[in-house]
Amino acid sequence: MSPHVHVASGSGWFPISLLLALLLTEFLYLRGWLHRRSASMKVIPPWRVSSFSLGLFLIWMAVGSPLAVMDEQMLTVHMIQHLLLMTFAPPLILLGLPAMPLLHGLPQQLVNAVVGPVFQCPPVLRAGRMLVRPTFSWLAATATLVGWHIPAMFTLALQSGEWHLFEQASFLVAGLLFWWPVVQPWSDAPTEPRWSILLYLFLATLPCDILSAFLVFSERVAYPVYLSASRQSDLSVLADQQCAGALMWTCITIVYLVPAAILSTRLLAPRNSRADLAQSEFLRSRTPQSGSKRVEVL
């Protein structure tokens, strides 16, 4: 039996199980956020709450909205799904700093009896630190991206509901792992030198650029499964493929450029501040103080 219960909605459908899971996650997050706020604990700014909610909405849009039906007809729609699940939703969710609100949103008995002991277990802690290291996160994201775009794997996911669900889940998980070192939503996470994240983001664009260039400039259809699909668009299969590649190329470049620019600004700001401080200290030391003995040099 399929893990989703489908309900018709006009020309589209949405999986009830996914919708309920997202709504439950949103409820627990808001419940925990309000609890921390009422207890005068360190409050997460409202913009982070909005970011988390928007991330959940993008997950629903990718997998549960009527848009999800068209991924079997157009590669461009399939690419939009992948971008939402791996590139847009994960950083928005992590910017919401979800760990503490979700913990405070869960029943206290469940946290004390199950969640707390599990996450405090040394093997779990070691595994968590390993999973969010930039090297592993980059490899996981690259393997997921390249692996699911191999024609055989792509066709398998498109023709099997279970494999399609697994593909979408792997994109979301890989996206969360990839963005974790960039956003760093947990204070105890291993902190690599921040300048290395610039290299991390640059290297992450390379497999995306190669795949995008192949889709854009290839003169043959990469995924023949779309040749037999019923289409509701005037685009040819090859034009649809080129559009999907161009969309991926543009979105990845812009999205990765934003955190790189922010990080570069932050890296340069402390250096400038220290230089200004040193300069002011130097000038202060060269300026005669009132009441001090004046020394004349003959």
Side-chain angles (χ1 to χ4, degrees):
M1 183 177 179
S2 173
H4 292 300
V5 179
H6 294 165
V7 176
S9 176
S11 61
W13 58 273
F14 60 93
I16 290 296
S17 57
L18 171 68
L19 180 61
L20 293 177
L22 294 176
L23 289 176
L24 177 60
T25 304
E26 178 72 9
F27 169 76
L28 292 175
Y29 181 92
L30 292 176
R31 182 172 183 263
W33 181 71
L34 292 174
H35 171 74
R36 289 174 59 87
R37 188 174 184 178
S38 62
S40 299
M41 304 173 70
K42 186 177 181 181
V43 179
I44 295 176
W47 72 267
R48 291 188 180 273
V49 180
S50 301
S51 176
F52 181 84
S53 301
L54 179 58
L56 294 183
F57 174 75
L58 293 183
I59 294 175
W60 174 82
M61 181 180 291
V63 182
S65 72
L67 178 71
V69 179
M70 298 179 61
D71 68 338
E72 298 179 357
Q73 305 170 9
M74 296 183 64
L75 179 60
T76 301
V77 175
H78 203 92
M79 187 64 70
I80 292 174
Q81 282 186 307
H82 292 179
L83 290 170
L84 290 175
L85 290 173
M86 195 172 184
T87 307
F88 290 96
L92 290 172
I93 290 175
L94 294 179
L95 282 172
L97 306 180
M100 296 309 297
L102 289 176
L103 282 176
H104 285 275
L106 290 170
Q108 193 62 41
Q109 296 83 354
L110 179 63
V111 174
N112 294 336
V114 180
V115 179
V118 168
F119 282 94
Q120 291 175 359
C121 182
V124 175
L125 290 174
R126 288 194 296 268
R129 293 191 185 99
M130 185 271 294
L131 289 175
V132 298
R133 288 194 174 278
T135 301
F136 184 89
S137 299
W138 186 89
L139 289 174
T142 301
T144 302
L145 176 72
V146 174
W148 284 114
H149 282 91
I150 296 174
M153 295 297 296
F154 189 96
T155 302
L156 176 64
L158 209 61
Q159 295 180 341
S160 169
E162 289 75 15
W163 279 105
H164 197 184
L165 180 63
F166 179 73
E167 176 199 30
Q168 292 169 337
S170 64
F171 270 106
L172 180 60
V173 172
L176 291 170
L177 290 176
F178 173 80
W179 285 104
W180 190 287
V182 180
V183 179
Q184 292 191 357
W186 188 258
S187 58
D188 292 336
T191 54
E192 307 292 336
R194 295 303 285 165
W195 62 264
S196 66
I197 301 300
L198 296 175
L199 179 62
Y200 175 82
L201 290 169
F202 170 74
L203 293 177
T205 63
L206 298 182
C208 300
D209 290 346
I210 294 173
L211 178 59
S212 301
F214 170 75
L215 295 176
V216 170
F217 298 111
S218 177
E219 296 182 356
R220 65 182 181 85
V221 176
Y223 307 111
V225 65
Y226 282 111
L227 292 172
S228 59
S230 59
R231 305 177 63 81
Q232 299 180 1
S233 171
D234 295 333
L235 282 178
S236 66
V237 177
L238 187 59
D240 176 36
Q241 174 178 300
Q242 294 168 345
C243 181
L247 179 67
M248 180 183 183
W249 208 335
T250 304
C251 289
I252 292 294
T253 301
I254 295 176
V255 172
Y256 286 13
L257 184 61
V258 171
I262 295 174
L263 182 58
S264 298
T265 302
R266 291 180 177 178
L267 288 174
L268 293 175
R271 183 178 303 173
N272 292 336
S273 299
R274 287 195 297 267
D276 294 340
L277 180 60
Q279 184 178 6
S280 63
E281 290 292 339
F282 174 76
L283 292 176
R284 189 180 298 114
S285 66
R286 302 290 293 178
T287 303
Q289 302 295 323
S290 59
S292 61
K293 185 177 180 180
R294 183 175 180 180
V295 179
E296 296 184 357
V297 180
L298 299 178

